Amino acid sequence: MGITAIAFDFGTKSIGCAVGQSITGSAQPLPAFKAQDGIPNWAAIEKCLNEWKPNIVVVGLPLNMDGTEQPLTQRAKKFANRLHGRFGVTVTLQDERLTTTEARAEIFQRGGFKALEKGKVDSISACIILESWFESCEE
């Protein structure tokens, strides 16, 4: 039996979201959630969790390239803690140092410059976070 996982790419204005299966190890982007200074519409997040019923939630952990924390790191951790506290889901953190750059490159390949909408970038970032988490689980 594979597991279903949802990934979030935390941001203060937009939170990317993706869902995936461990069997395929791939993820698909879901619509990003708007956020007000890092606070999402929790009802919309709850609806998403109820719809997909994930076994685990993966939250991207933004770090500086040298691995040190940045201001957003603590906020992403707080978001992860709130997901666990509010919905009782298992939450894990995944280093996301290269995902935004990768996401931009991937969207560019798929749809050119016009496809680089912020919400799309965030949700493709969430896909890459989830796929890299699947890969790290296999090792």
PDB file of all heavy atoms in Angstrom, residues 5 9 12-13 18 21 26-27 37 40 42-43 54 56 62 74 77 86 96 98 109-110 112 115 120 124 131 134 139:
ATOM      1  N   ALA A   5       0.693  11.724   0.175  1.00  0.00           N
ATOM      2  CA  ALA A   5       1.329  12.826   0.895  1.00  0.00           C
ATOM      3  C   ALA A   5       0.925  14.145   0.252  1.00  0.00           C
ATOM      4  O   ALA A   5       0.705  14.217  -0.955  1.00  0.00           O
ATOM      5  CB  ALA A   5       2.846  12.671   0.859  1.00  0.00           C
ATOM      6  N   ASP A   9       4.544  24.506   0.196  1.00  0.00           N
ATOM      7  CA  ASP A   9       5.684  25.403   0.053  1.00  0.00           C
ATOM      8  C   ASP A   9       5.257  26.701   0.720  1.00  0.00           C
ATOM      9  O   ASP A   9       4.513  27.489   0.144  1.00  0.00           O
ATOM     10  CB  ASP A   9       6.009  25.621  -1.427  1.00  0.00           C
ATOM     11  CG  ASP A   9       7.151  26.606  -1.618  1.00  0.00           C
ATOM     12  OD1 ASP A   9       8.081  26.602  -0.790  1.00  0.00           O
ATOM     13  OD2 ASP A   9       7.117  27.387  -2.584  1.00  0.00           O
ATOM     14  N   THR A  12       4.784  33.899   2.777  1.00  0.00           N
ATOM     15  CA  THR A  12       3.956  34.834   3.548  1.00  0.00           C
ATOM     16  C   THR A  12       2.725  35.287   2.768  1.00  0.00           C
ATOM     17  O   THR A  12       1.717  35.641   3.349  1.00  0.00           O
ATOM     18  CB  THR A  12       4.760  36.065   3.989  1.00  0.00           C
ATOM     19  OG1 THR A  12       5.353  36.651   2.839  1.00  0.00           O
ATOM     20  CG2 THR A  12       5.826  35.693   4.998  1.00  0.00           C
ATOM     21  N   LYS A  13       2.790  35.270   1.418  1.00  0.00           N
ATOM     22  CA  LYS A  13       1.649  35.717   0.606  1.00  0.00           C
ATOM     23  C   LYS A  13       0.951  34.559  -0.099  1.00  0.00           C
ATOM     24  O   LYS A  13      -0.211  34.649  -0.461  1.00  0.00           O
ATOM     25  CB  LYS A  13       2.118  36.711  -0.455  1.00  0.00           C
ATOM     26  CG  LYS A  13       2.595  38.021   0.154  1.00  0.00           C
ATOM     27  CD  LYS A  13       2.793  39.050  -0.943  1.00  0.00           C
ATOM     28  CE  LYS A  13       3.293  40.365  -0.378  1.00  0.00           C
ATOM     29  NZ  LYS A  13       4.714  40.330  -0.097  1.00  0.00           N
ATOM     30  N   ALA A  18       0.881  20.611  -3.204  1.00  0.00           N
ATOM     31  CA  ALA A  18       0.969  19.509  -4.164  1.00  0.00           C
ATOM     32  C   ALA A  18       0.559  18.230  -3.454  1.00  0.00           C
ATOM     33  O   ALA A  18       0.674  18.122  -2.238  1.00  0.00           O
ATOM     34  CB  ALA A  18       2.385  19.373  -4.706  1.00  0.00           C
ATOM     35  N   GLN A  21       1.800  10.364  -4.521  1.00  0.00           N
ATOM     36  CA  GLN A  21       1.725   8.991  -4.042  1.00  0.00           C
ATOM     37  C   GLN A  21       3.128   8.416  -3.953  1.00  0.00           C
ATOM     38  O   GLN A  21       3.918   8.618  -4.872  1.00  0.00           O
ATOM     39  CB  GLN A  21       0.940   8.139  -5.056  1.00  0.00           C
ATOM     40  CG  GLN A  21      -0.519   8.491  -5.180  1.00  0.00           C
ATOM     41  CD  GLN A  21      -1.326   7.957  -4.007  1.00  0.00           C
ATOM     42  OE1 GLN A  21      -0.884   7.064  -3.300  1.00  0.00           O
ATOM     43  NE2 GLN A  21      -2.495   8.514  -3.796  1.00  0.00           N
ATOM     44  N   SER A  26       5.772  10.538  -7.618  1.00  0.00           N
ATOM     45  CA  SER A  26       5.595  11.809  -8.318  1.00  0.00           C
ATOM     46  C   SER A  26       4.473  12.607  -7.674  1.00  0.00           C
ATOM     47  O   SER A  26       3.645  12.062  -6.947  1.00  0.00           O
ATOM     48  CB  SER A  26       5.293  11.559  -9.795  1.00  0.00           C
ATOM     49  OG  SER A  26       4.068  10.872  -9.909  1.00  0.00           O
ATOM     50  N   ALA A  27       4.458  13.893  -7.964  1.00  0.00           N
ATOM     51  CA  ALA A  27       3.487  14.788  -7.359  1.00  0.00           C
ATOM     52  C   ALA A  27       2.802  15.617  -8.430  1.00  0.00           C
ATOM     53  O   ALA A  27       3.351  15.820  -9.513  1.00  0.00           O
ATOM     54  CB  ALA A  27       4.198  15.701  -6.364  1.00  0.00           C
ATOM     55  N   ASP A  37       0.216  37.607   5.422  1.00  0.00           N
ATOM     56  CA  ASP A  37       1.383  37.596   6.306  1.00  0.00           C
ATOM     57  C   ASP A  37       1.637  36.192   6.877  1.00  0.00           C
ATOM     58  O   ASP A  37       1.883  36.023   8.066  1.00  0.00           O
ATOM     59  CB  ASP A  37       1.200  38.626   7.427  1.00  0.00           C
ATOM     60  CG  ASP A  37       2.534  38.879   8.158  1.00  0.00           C
ATOM     61  OD1 ASP A  37       3.598  38.736   7.530  1.00  0.00           O
ATOM     62  OD2 ASP A  37       2.494  39.196   9.354  1.00  0.00           O
ATOM     63  N   PRO A  40      -2.764  31.356   6.385  1.00  0.00           N
ATOM     64  CA  PRO A  40      -3.663  30.942   5.306  1.00  0.00           C
ATOM     65  C   PRO A  40      -5.110  30.926   5.782  1.00  0.00           C
ATOM     66  O   PRO A  40      -5.394  31.097   6.963  1.00  0.00           O
ATOM     67  CB  PRO A  40      -3.193  29.518   5.022  1.00  0.00           C
ATOM     68  CG  PRO A  40      -2.745  29.016   6.361  1.00  0.00           C
ATOM     69  CD  PRO A  40      -2.142  30.210   7.063  1.00  0.00           C
ATOM     70  N   TRP A  42      -7.455  28.759   6.966  1.00  0.00           N
ATOM     71  CA  TRP A  42      -7.351  27.389   7.505  1.00  0.00           C
ATOM     72  C   TRP A  42      -8.498  26.499   7.039  1.00  0.00           C
ATOM     73  O   TRP A  42      -8.323  25.292   6.883  1.00  0.00           O
ATOM     74  CB  TRP A  42      -7.285  27.431   9.037  1.00  0.00           C
ATOM     75  CG  TRP A  42      -5.956  27.962   9.526  1.00  0.00           C
ATOM     76  CD1 TRP A  42      -5.737  29.176  10.125  1.00  0.00           C
ATOM     77  CD2 TRP A  42      -4.679  27.327   9.439  1.00  0.00           C
ATOM     78  NE1 TRP A  42      -4.395  29.312  10.404  1.00  0.00           N
ATOM     79  CE2 TRP A  42      -3.725  28.198  10.002  1.00  0.00           C
ATOM     80  CE3 TRP A  42      -4.249  26.097   8.940  1.00  0.00           C
ATOM     81  CZ2 TRP A  42      -2.365  27.888  10.085  1.00  0.00           C
ATOM     82  CZ3 TRP A  42      -2.894  25.786   9.011  1.00  0.00           C
ATOM     83  CH2 TRP A  42      -1.968  26.676   9.584  1.00  0.00           C
ATOM     84  N   ALA A  43      -9.674  27.090   6.779  1.00  0.00           N
ATOM     85  CA  ALA A  43     -10.811  26.294   6.302  1.00  0.00           C
ATOM     86  C   ALA A  43     -10.502  25.700   4.928  1.00  0.00           C
ATOM     87  O   ALA A  43     -10.836  24.545   4.641  1.00  0.00           O
ATOM     88  CB  ALA A  43     -12.070  27.151   6.250  1.00  0.00           C
ATOM     89  N   PRO A  54      -4.307  12.759   3.393  1.00  0.00           N
ATOM     90  CA  PRO A  54      -2.903  12.324   3.322  1.00  0.00           C
ATOM     91  C   PRO A  54      -2.470  11.542   4.559  1.00  0.00           C
ATOM     92  O   PRO A  54      -2.981  11.791   5.660  1.00  0.00           O
ATOM     93  CB  PRO A  54      -2.135  13.648   3.237  1.00  0.00           C
ATOM     94  CG  PRO A  54      -3.007  14.634   3.956  1.00  0.00           C
ATOM     95  CD  PRO A  54      -4.419  14.208   3.645  1.00  0.00           C
ATOM     96  N   ILE A  56       0.670  11.676   5.371  1.00  0.00           N
ATOM     97  CA  ILE A  56       1.717  12.557   5.887  1.00  0.00           C
ATOM     98  C   ILE A  56       1.685  13.885   5.128  1.00  0.00           C
ATOM     99  O   ILE A  56       1.285  13.925   3.963  1.00  0.00           O
ATOM    100  CB  ILE A  56       3.115  11.879   5.779  1.00  0.00           C
ATOM    101  CG1 ILE A  56       4.154  12.681   6.562  1.00  0.00           C
ATOM    102  CG2 ILE A  56       3.539  11.679   4.324  1.00  0.00           C
ATOM    103  CD1 ILE A  56       5.394  11.864   6.925  1.00  0.00           C
ATOM    104  N   PRO A  62      12.611  26.399   4.347  1.00  0.00           N
ATOM    105  CA  PRO A  62      13.513  27.313   3.644  1.00  0.00           C
ATOM    106  C   PRO A  62      14.779  27.578   4.462  1.00  0.00           C
ATOM    107  O   PRO A  62      14.692  28.010   5.600  1.00  0.00           O
ATOM    108  CB  PRO A  62      12.672  28.603   3.493  1.00  0.00           C
ATOM    109  CG  PRO A  62      11.596  28.500   4.525  1.00  0.00           C
ATOM    110  CD  PRO A  62      11.466  27.067   4.950  1.00  0.00           C
ATOM    111  N   GLN A  74      11.745  29.830  10.657  1.00  0.00           N
ATOM    112  CA  GLN A  74      10.937  29.688  11.870  1.00  0.00           C
ATOM    113  C   GLN A  74       9.444  29.750  11.553  1.00  0.00           C
ATOM    114  O   GLN A  74       8.641  29.036  12.143  1.00  0.00           O
ATOM    115  CB  GLN A  74      11.290  30.771  12.897  1.00  0.00           C
ATOM    116  CG  GLN A  74      12.569  30.486  13.664  1.00  0.00           C
ATOM    117  CD  GLN A  74      12.585  29.099  14.322  1.00  0.00           C
ATOM    118  OE1 GLN A  74      11.587  28.619  14.879  1.00  0.00           O
ATOM    119  NE2 GLN A  74      13.718  28.428  14.232  1.00  0.00           N
ATOM    120  N   LYS A  77       8.323  26.490  10.152  1.00  0.00           N
ATOM    121  CA  LYS A  77       8.218  25.502  11.236  1.00  0.00           C
ATOM    122  C   LYS A  77       6.929  25.715  12.034  1.00  0.00           C
ATOM    123  O   LYS A  77       6.252  24.763  12.405  1.00  0.00           O
ATOM    124  CB  LYS A  77       9.423  25.608  12.183  1.00  0.00           C
ATOM    125  CG  LYS A  77      10.701  25.027  11.609  1.00  0.00           C
ATOM    126  CD  LYS A  77      11.832  25.183  12.611  1.00  0.00           C
ATOM    127  CE  LYS A  77      13.115  24.543  12.114  1.00  0.00           C
ATOM    128  NZ  LYS A  77      14.237  24.785  13.030  1.00  0.00           N
ATOM    129  N   ARG A  86      -3.723  21.670  14.597  1.00  0.00           N
ATOM    130  CA  ARG A  86      -5.113  21.872  14.187  1.00  0.00           C
ATOM    131  C   ARG A  86      -5.759  20.606  13.653  1.00  0.00           C
ATOM    132  O   ARG A  86      -6.936  20.354  13.906  1.00  0.00           O
ATOM    133  CB  ARG A  86      -5.185  22.910  13.060  1.00  0.00           C
ATOM    134  CG  ARG A  86      -5.291  24.302  13.559  1.00  0.00           C
ATOM    135  CD  ARG A  86      -5.268  25.258  12.377  1.00  0.00           C
ATOM    136  NE  ARG A  86      -5.187  26.613  12.869  1.00  0.00           N
ATOM    137  CZ  ARG A  86      -6.197  27.470  12.890  1.00  0.00           C
ATOM    138  NH1 ARG A  86      -7.367  27.126  12.417  1.00  0.00           N
ATOM    139  NH2 ARG A  86      -6.040  28.677  13.369  1.00  0.00           N
ATOM    140  N   GLU A  96      14.341  22.642   1.365  1.00  0.00           N
ATOM    141  CA  GLU A  96      13.865  23.056   0.046  1.00  0.00           C
ATOM    142  C   GLU A  96      14.820  24.050  -0.614  1.00  0.00           C
ATOM    143  O   GLU A  96      14.401  24.864  -1.417  1.00  0.00           O
ATOM    144  CB  GLU A  96      12.469  23.677   0.168  1.00  0.00           C
ATOM    145  CG  GLU A  96      12.424  24.896   1.049  1.00  0.00           C
ATOM    146  CD  GLU A  96      11.256  25.827   0.762  1.00  0.00           C
ATOM    147  OE1 GLU A  96      10.110  25.469   1.038  1.00  0.00           O
ATOM    148  OE2 GLU A  96      11.524  26.922   0.269  1.00  0.00           O
ATOM    149  N   LEU A  98      16.846  24.239  -3.069  1.00  0.00           N
ATOM    150  CA  LEU A  98      16.938  24.468  -4.514  1.00  0.00           C
ATOM    151  C   LEU A  98      15.596  24.471  -5.229  1.00  0.00           C
ATOM    152  O   LEU A  98      15.541  24.654  -6.429  1.00  0.00           O
ATOM    153  CB  LEU A  98      17.859  23.414  -5.142  1.00  0.00           C
ATOM    154  CG  LEU A  98      19.302  23.496  -4.643  1.00  0.00           C
ATOM    155  CD1 LEU A  98      20.085  22.272  -5.074  1.00  0.00           C
ATOM    156  CD2 LEU A  98      19.984  24.757  -5.130  1.00  0.00           C
ATOM    157  N   GLN A 109      10.336  25.476 -18.974  1.00  0.00           N
ATOM    158  CA  GLN A 109      10.385  24.403 -19.984  1.00  0.00           C
ATOM    159  C   GLN A 109       8.974  24.021 -20.432  1.00  0.00           C
ATOM    160  O   GLN A 109       8.736  23.777 -21.600  1.00  0.00           O
ATOM    161  CB  GLN A 109      11.059  23.148 -19.408  1.00  0.00           C
ATOM    162  CG  GLN A 109      12.565  23.245 -19.376  1.00  0.00           C
ATOM    163  CD  GLN A 109      13.199  22.036 -18.699  1.00  0.00           C
ATOM    164  OE1 GLN A 109      12.563  21.324 -17.926  1.00  0.00           O
ATOM    165  NE2 GLN A 109      14.456  21.813 -18.984  1.00  0.00           N
ATOM    166  N   ARG A 110       8.047  23.953 -19.493  1.00  0.00           N
ATOM    167  CA  ARG A 110       6.685  23.524 -19.807  1.00  0.00           C
ATOM    168  C   ARG A 110       5.881  24.576 -20.543  1.00  0.00           C
ATOM    169  O   ARG A 110       5.093  24.250 -21.413  1.00  0.00           O
ATOM    170  CB  ARG A 110       5.912  23.178 -18.525  1.00  0.00           C
ATOM    171  CG  ARG A 110       6.369  21.885 -17.909  1.00  0.00           C
ATOM    172  CD  ARG A 110       5.517  21.583 -16.708  1.00  0.00           C
ATOM    173  NE  ARG A 110       6.106  20.493 -15.932  1.00  0.00           N
ATOM    174  CZ  ARG A 110       5.578  20.001 -14.835  1.00  0.00           C
ATOM    175  NH1 ARG A 110       4.460  20.497 -14.356  1.00  0.00           N
ATOM    176  NH2 ARG A 110       6.164  19.011 -14.197  1.00  0.00           N
ATOM    177  N   GLY A 112       7.059  28.260 -20.967  1.00  0.00           N
ATOM    178  CA  GLY A 112       7.678  29.544 -21.275  1.00  0.00           C
ATOM    179  C   GLY A 112       7.430  30.588 -20.211  1.00  0.00           C
ATOM    180  O   GLY A 112       6.863  30.315 -19.159  1.00  0.00           O
ATOM    181  N   ALA A 115       4.110  31.397 -18.240  1.00  0.00           N
ATOM    182  CA  ALA A 115       3.621  30.451 -17.241  1.00  0.00           C
ATOM    183  C   ALA A 115       4.165  30.739 -15.836  1.00  0.00           C
ATOM    184  O   ALA A 115       3.771  30.092 -14.884  1.00  0.00           O
ATOM    185  CB  ALA A 115       3.982  29.024 -17.653  1.00  0.00           C
ATOM    186  N   LYS A 120       1.605  29.435  -9.491  1.00  0.00           N
ATOM    187  CA  LYS A 120       2.081  28.232 -10.182  1.00  0.00           C
ATOM    188  C   LYS A 120       3.476  27.865  -9.709  1.00  0.00           C
ATOM    189  O   LYS A 120       3.782  26.704  -9.479  1.00  0.00           O
ATOM    190  CB  LYS A 120       2.120  28.473 -11.692  1.00  0.00           C
ATOM    191  CG  LYS A 120       0.786  28.310 -12.376  1.00  0.00           C
ATOM    192  CD  LYS A 120       0.998  27.926 -13.831  1.00  0.00           C
ATOM    193  CE  LYS A 120      -0.313  27.748 -14.568  1.00  0.00           C
ATOM    194  NZ  LYS A 120      -0.658  28.886 -15.406  1.00  0.00           N
ATOM    195  N   ILE A 124       4.418  24.318  -8.037  1.00  0.00           N
ATOM    196  CA  ILE A 124       5.440  23.441  -8.648  1.00  0.00           C
ATOM    197  C   ILE A 124       6.575  23.244  -7.638  1.00  0.00           C
ATOM    198  O   ILE A 124       7.126  22.152  -7.517  1.00  0.00           O
ATOM    199  CB  ILE A 124       5.966  24.009  -9.983  1.00  0.00           C
ATOM    200  CG1 ILE A 124       4.817  24.174 -10.973  1.00  0.00           C
ATOM    201  CG2 ILE A 124       7.075  23.135 -10.547  1.00  0.00           C
ATOM    202  CD1 ILE A 124       4.659  23.197 -12.084  1.00  0.00           C
ATOM    203  N   GLU A 131       8.512  15.453  -4.283  1.00  0.00           N
ATOM    204  CA  GLU A 131       9.275  14.442  -5.025  1.00  0.00           C
ATOM    205  C   GLU A 131      10.649  14.221  -4.394  1.00  0.00           C
ATOM    206  O   GLU A 131      11.128  13.094  -4.311  1.00  0.00           O
ATOM    207  CB  GLU A 131       9.361  14.822  -6.505  1.00  0.00           C
ATOM    208  CG  GLU A 131       8.000  14.616  -7.182  1.00  0.00           C
ATOM    209  CD  GLU A 131       7.903  15.163  -8.599  1.00  0.00           C
ATOM    210  OE1 GLU A 131       8.907  15.676  -9.134  1.00  0.00           O
ATOM    211  OE2 GLU A 131       6.797  15.081  -9.175  1.00  0.00           O
ATOM    212  N   PHE A 134      10.066  12.026  -1.371  1.00  0.00           N
ATOM    213  CA  PHE A 134       9.902  10.623  -1.774  1.00  0.00           C
ATOM    214  C   PHE A 134      11.262   9.977  -2.045  1.00  0.00           C
ATOM    215  O   PHE A 134      11.532   8.871  -1.628  1.00  0.00           O
ATOM    216  CB  PHE A 134       9.012  10.489  -3.018  1.00  0.00           C
ATOM    217  CG  PHE A 134       7.530  10.670  -2.765  1.00  0.00           C
ATOM    218  CD1 PHE A 134       6.754  11.391  -3.656  1.00  0.00           C
ATOM    219  CD2 PHE A 134       6.903  10.099  -1.665  1.00  0.00           C
ATOM    220  CE1 PHE A 134       5.381  11.575  -3.453  1.00  0.00           C
ATOM    221  CE2 PHE A 134       5.535  10.263  -1.437  1.00  0.00           C
ATOM    222  CZ  PHE A 134       4.771  10.994  -2.340  1.00  0.00           C
ATOM    223  N   GLU A 139      16.039   6.028  -0.049  1.00  0.00           N
ATOM    224  CA  GLU A 139      17.472   5.755   0.162  1.00  0.00           C
ATOM    225  C   GLU A 139      17.708   4.907   1.398  1.00  0.00           C
ATOM    226  O   GLU A 139      16.999   4.955   2.363  1.00  0.00           O
ATOM    227  CB  GLU A 139      18.236   7.089   0.274  1.00  0.00           C
ATOM    228  CG  GLU A 139      18.353   7.756  -1.080  1.00  0.00           C
ATOM    229  CD  GLU A 139      18.683   9.240  -0.962  1.00  0.00           C
ATOM    230  OE1 GLU A 139      19.058   9.706   0.126  1.00  0.00           O
ATOM    231  OE2 GLU A 139      18.564   9.934  -1.974  1.00  0.00           O
TER     232      GLU A 139
END
